[in-house]
Amino acid sequence: MKNFYQTLSTALIVFLMMIVPMVTMAQAQTKESPKKEAAKTETPKASKCEKAPSHSYWSVTAYGALDQFNGDLSKNILFNDKWMFGAGGSITKQFTRVIGVRLRGGWVPLSGSVTDKLVYQKGQPSAIISQNFKSWVIEGTVEGTVNWVNWIMGYKPERFFSSYLIFGVGADHTQGAKFNNSDPLTPIGYVGYPSHKGADKFGYGNNSGIGSWNLEFKADAGIGFDFNLSKHWSINPEFIWRWRDGDVLDMTMGGAKQVINDMYSGVNLGITYKFAYSGCNLKEMAKNYELIKYETSPAVLAEKGDSIVVTIKGTVPPKYFCPTAAMYFQPVLTYDGGKYELPCGTHLYGEKLSGEGTMIKYKEGGSFTYTCKFPYKPEMNTSQLVVAPVIYEAKEKVLMKKDEIKVKAKFMELPSRNLAPGVIYTSKRVQHDELTLIADHGYQKEVFQSKSGVIYFKKNKFDLDLKYGINKTDPAKNALTDLNTFIKQGWKIKDIAMNGYASPEGEETFNANLSENRSKTGNKWMLDQFQGWAKDANKDNKDKKAVKAAVEAAGKDVNMTLQHHGPDWNGFLKAVQNSNLKDKDKVLNVINSNVDANKKEQEIRNMILIYPEIEKDLLPGLRRSEITATLYEPRMTDAELLQFGASNPEKLKVEELLYAATLTKDNKVKATILENAAKQFPGSWKALNNAAVAEVENGNLARASELLTKAQTVQPNNGIIENNIGVVAAKQKDLKKADAQFKKAATLGENTNYNQGVLMIPKGDYPKALNMLANAKCTYNLGLAQLLNGNNAAAETTLKCAPETPETFYLLAVTSARANNSKGLFENLMKACKDASLKAQAKGDREFINFASTPEFQNIVK
């Protein structure tokens, strides 16, 4: 045997060079473009293709073998012509996709024969022999396996073929005998051969094994192939070469230059069963995905403040989540015509990875909480929240971004799971009935006009003397004449008042009586005037107004009031203040510093002596009787105002036009009157504002906005106008502008609580809405706010006393549905669905999800 080890090594290298291209070609046939490969991997059908197990498992193998001897008594070194049938088995623990350890045992019969072969001993030619031998080997080996295909080319669960290298050490129990070819029956050497026990012609064998068998240690190496029939079954051809540490197998020592120990090899064909998978892989995770439990809150998604908030609590069981696996969790809201991916994706990952998200341990399992807030869209009203997580193997133990997973990693899409139906959008049912503010028309149905005349008296006198001093002056005479003319014009008299006064220098009681008598004198003079008018009117009976006045006087229809005030201190102080009296401040100080009336009177008398002009110029005007007549100013009737406001607005004042608009419930007539007012009085902010309110009530929002802009120009920073601009904005769905306007109006002193409260509903601030709507009893929006805030019973009470509209009945149906009151639901929904648009909405409204499949509900919405 020449350089046998080198020859063997060369043979193994040649063999590997032949088999590697074959495996590579097989791999290339199954490997497609990344996109196609990803498409195949992500489909659930990929799980049916899994043949190659991953991670850790156990297996048992039974095999048959063809074994040959490779040594001194073999015809050839590599391939002998003597092949013997053997058998064996192994048990394997596969730790990873690459590394495994097995315990193998086998029965190996061997045979060899040479003819005229030169053999050596100790490097020197020894003899030419023609011999043969037979041996039996019971082998036991501990071997390691390295799956070089998975190592070099990566693991693929669908791989049918792979290969592994074998390295091991063990021990052989051997017995056998050697014969000359010329005498096949007489052994010339043996090892533990029972029939020739004690014979040891060449000193082979030491009976070191069990019984008479010889024991020797060995090393082996080889290559095996795995043809995966399924996840559990495979066929395994193997080629194994064994090197022993002795030379007793053929009982012939030889070698050209050195002593060569015995070797033998064999080809095994085994069938393997794989079991007890203790590892983890994506396929197993996909298979057991239903073990993950989800709990969604709220159970039905709901819109609030133009947003939707959902919380999902997930529970992962023990021994589910692979340590090197990751799961990308991103729910999707699906609906007719589209879908919406929630913007809050998150990762779950195994304990050997790192990154943002939630770690789930393999043995213990774990839980996670996912919360996401996303904008509401009307198309989501009838929808379903689902999730189909993607699981993948993270490279380099680092989590990947969403868009990298399907490009760079092995992944699988898990089956879609329903999480929650959606979306309840009841808060969108707010009615924009914000309150407009009307400017006060300023019109008074009863307007009074008054005119006064004065009769003056001498000192300490109360008798009538129109020729006395002041009474003769033109102002005094003209005032009495104008008073008579005023009363005689024929207006309805409200009352005529006589007020008597005295100058303050006299004694208190005397002055009181004096002022009373002076008021009576004024009253008598007034009655004399009535009697004179009556006489004049009766002469020709032409002056109808005078006749009427006379009749009123004769029938005592005029309300005459007499009052006396004693000394006129206020009049005196005022007269002093307005006079040119020297030292008038001193006089005023003396009067004001005395509280006692008698002392005041005495001080005045003392000052008259010092300042005679007080008596002459100031006191005479205080001795008087004032006569004041108050009459009703004639006004148009309401009917006349209404008629003129619509057809002849030019005949009316702005106040009358604004008042006329309040006399009708016909919105069109009202708008006509107010438009007339706005055109006739373009500088009146009240006319412009009230005309805008009428247009709002008629739904003409563009015209209302135009009028309010003009009103705002005429009267900036007016709370009434600012509020009404907000109402128009709210009805035009510009809620941001409306909110700003209502707040501005509030700072300008207007009460906008209701309007701001309505806007709190679409904002989602239901407690604040309730607070601001507190005074709005029996209104739709109050009931809606109560319902949304969870006050179901209060909402039902409010809505039952609110105006009966289809929208009100619809909300009552919702309150019944939330209270699980099917009778109330069906009764109210039937009334609401008289409106075809509400019927269409009810079909998919998630408020009724628990009743949607009932025959009663279906009959109502069909």
Side-chain angles (χ1 to χ4, degrees), residues 214-341:
N214 192 71
L215 176 66
E216 285 187 341
F217 294 98
K218 66 176 181 181
D220 65 7
I223 187 169
F225 306 95
D226 214 354
F227 294 92
N228 294 299
L229 303 179
S230 68
K231 182 177 179 180
H232 292 284
W233 291 96
S234 64
I235 293 176
N236 300 94
E238 293 179 348
F239 177 75
I240 303 176
W241 200 287
R242 292 88 152 180
W243 294 270
R244 293 168 56 106
D245 68 344
D247 201 18
V248 300
L249 191 60
D250 61 355
M251 293 152 283
T252 302
M253 291 186 179
K257 301 294 184 184
Q258 56 186 341
V259 177
I260 302 300
N261 291 345
D262 292 329
M263 299 175 289
Y264 61 96
S265 60
V267 176
N268 303 336
L269 181 62
I271 184 166
T272 300
Y273 176 71
K274 302 167 185 178
F275 62 97
Y277 290 88
S278 58
C280 188
N281 58 77
L282 298 185
K283 294 298 182 180
E284 289 296 321
M285 289 179 68
K287 178 181 177 181
N288 297 318
Y289 174 50
E290 70 276 2
L291 298 178
I292 295 181
K293 304 301 179 185
Y294 296 127
E295 181 182 350
T296 306
S297 177
V300 181
L301 301 186
E303 178 275 339
K304 183 177 181 181
D306 275 334
S307 299
I308 301 170
V309 178
V310 62
T311 297
I312 302 166
K313 293 183 179 179
T315 304
V316 182
K319 296 185 179 180
Y320 172 82
F321 214 100
C322 298
T324 58
M327 176 187 291
Y328 186 73
F329 184 93
Q330 184 178 29
V332 176
L333 201 63
T334 61
Y335 44 84
D336 288 342
K339 65 179 181 179
Y340 177 81
E341 289 187 351

Side-chain angles (χ1 to χ4, degrees), residues 24 30 105 149 223 281 307 365 414 524 564 572 609 689 743 834:
T24 305
T30 61
V149 174
I223 187 169
N281 58 77
S307 299
L414 299 178
K524 183 179 184 303
H564 58 280
F572 174 73
L609 296 176
N689 177 81
K743 290 178 178 177
K834 292 179 180 179

Side-chain angles (χ1 to χ4, degrees), residues 405-417:
I405 295 173
K406 295 183 180 181
V407 177
K408 299 181 179 180
K410 295 180 179 68
F411 72 94
M412 289 187 64
E413 281 191 350
L414 299 178
S416 179
R417 297 261 295 270

Side-chain angles (χ1 to χ4, degrees), residues 87-125:
S90 65
I91 181 168
T92 303
K93 171 63 176 181
Q94 189 71 29
F95 292 100
T96 70
R97 295 165 180 167
V98 176
I99 303 299
V101 174
R102 70 183 185 181
L103 179 64
R104 186 175 61 82
W107 168 253
V108 186
L110 296 171
S111 176
S113 176
V114 295
T115 301
D116 298 331
K117 182 176 182 180
L118 176 65
V119 294
Y120 295 79
Q121 286 191 4
K122 298 181 179 180
Q124 300 297 322

Side-chain angles (χ1 to χ4, degrees), residues 671 674-679 681-682 684-696 700-715 721 724-725 728:
L674 291 170
E675 283 283 0
N676 290 338
K679 292 176 182 178
F681 301 98
S684 170
W685 73 268
K686 290 185 176 182
L688 294 168
N689 177 81
N690 291 6
V693 171
E695 296 297 354
V696 169
N700 301 326
L701 299 180
R703 176 58 179 163
S705 181
E706 179 184 348
L707 289 166
L708 288 169
T709 300
K710 292 180 180 179
Q712 194 178 40
T713 302
V714 173
Q715 185 81 5
I721 298 171
N724 293 340
I725 292 174
V728 173

Side-chain angles (χ1 to χ4, degrees), residues 235-545:
I235 293 176
N236 300 94
E238 293 179 348
F239 177 75
I240 303 176
W241 200 287
R242 292 88 152 180
W243 294 270
R244 293 168 56 106
D245 68 344
D247 201 18
V248 300
L249 191 60
D250 61 355
M251 293 152 283
T252 302
M253 291 186 179
K257 301 294 184 184
Q258 56 186 341
V259 177
I260 302 300
N261 291 345
D262 292 329
M263 299 175 289
Y264 61 96
S265 60
V267 176
N268 303 336
L269 181 62
I271 184 166
T272 300
Y273 176 71
K274 302 167 185 178
F275 62 97
Y277 290 88
S278 58
C280 188
N281 58 77
L282 298 185
K283 294 298 182 180
E284 289 296 321
M285 289 179 68
K287 178 181 177 181
N288 297 318
Y289 174 50
E290 70 276 2
L291 298 178
I292 295 181
K293 304 301 179 185
Y294 296 127
E295 181 182 350
T296 306
S297 177
V300 181
L301 301 186
E303 178 275 339
K304 183 177 181 181
D306 275 334
S307 299
I308 301 170
V309 178
V310 62
T311 297
I312 302 166
K313 293 183 179 179
T315 304
V316 182
K319 296 185 179 180
Y320 172 82
F321 214 100
C322 298
T324 58
M327 176 187 291
Y328 186 73
F329 184 93
Q330 184 178 29
V332 176
L333 201 63
T334 61
Y335 44 84
D336 288 342
K339 65 179 181 179
Y340 177 81
E341 289 187 351
L342 272 60
C344 319
T346 189
H347 267 99
L348 309 180
Y349 57 90
E351 54 202 285
K352 291 186 178 180
L353 305 182
S354 61
E356 293 185 2
T358 303
M359 178 188 290
I360 305 295
K361 293 187 177 181
Y362 175 72
K363 290 184 178 180
E364 296 88 347
S367 63
F368 68 95
T369 299
Y370 168 93
T371 298
C372 190
K373 181 178 182 179
F374 56 96
Y376 162 79
K377 298 178 181 179
E379 55 264 34
M380 298 175 178
N381 290 346
T382 303
S383 59
Q384 184 71 38
L385 185 67
V386 301
V387 68
V390 177
I391 54 175
Y392 66 95
E393 292 183 354
K395 293 183 177 180
E396 299 179 357
K397 298 183 180 181
V398 177
L399 301 179
M400 295 182 179
K401 295 180 180 179
K402 175 186 175 182
D403 55 357
E404 296 178 333
I405 295 173
K406 295 183 180 181
V407 177
K408 299 181 179 180
K410 295 180 179 68
F411 72 94
M412 289 187 64
E413 281 191 350
L414 299 178
S416 179
R417 297 261 295 270
N418 290 339
L419 299 174
V423 171
I424 290 175
Y425 59 100
T426 302
S427 66
K428 291 297 180 182
R429 299 192 178 278
V430 62
Q431 290 185 350
H432 286 290
D433 59 353
E434 288 86 354
L435 302 178
T436 54
L437 297 177
I438 300 175
D440 182 18
H441 49 70
Y443 177 77
Q444 295 179 339
K445 295 192 70 172
E446 289 185 339
V447 176
F448 308 107
Q449 290 194 21
S450 299
K451 195 170 285 292
S452 298
V454 180
I455 298 173
Y456 297 96
F457 299 91
K458 297 176 183 178
K459 183 178 180 180
N460 297 331
K461 301 294 184 180
F462 59 84
D463 53 313
L464 180 64
D465 184 357
L466 295 179
K467 294 180 180 181
Y468 161 71
I470 302 176
N471 290 332
K472 294 189 298 181
T473 62
D474 288 339
K477 290 190 296 183
N478 291 339
L480 291 175
T481 300
D482 291 344
L483 175 63
N484 287 343
T485 302
F486 178 69
I487 296 173
K488 287 171 64 178
Q489 67 180 322
W491 291 4
K492 183 179 179 182
I493 299 172
K494 180 178 182 290
D495 58 51
I496 299 175
M498 272 63 66
N499 291 281
Y501 296 91
S503 58
E505 80 280 10
E507 191 269 331
E508 180 75 19
T509 302
F510 178 81
N511 280 341
N513 293 329
L514 184 61
S515 64
E516 181 179 6
N517 288 327
R518 286 172 177 172
S519 67
K520 291 177 180 179
T521 299
N523 183 61
K524 183 179 184 303
W525 179 84
M526 192 72 256
L527 290 174
D528 289 344
Q529 302 307 304
F530 274 104
Q531 290 174 3
W533 300 333
K535 289 178 181 180
D536 293 340
N538 288 329
K539 288 180 180 179
D540 53 15
N541 200 28
K542 292 181 180 180
D543 189 349
K544 300 299 183 182
K545 295 179 179 179

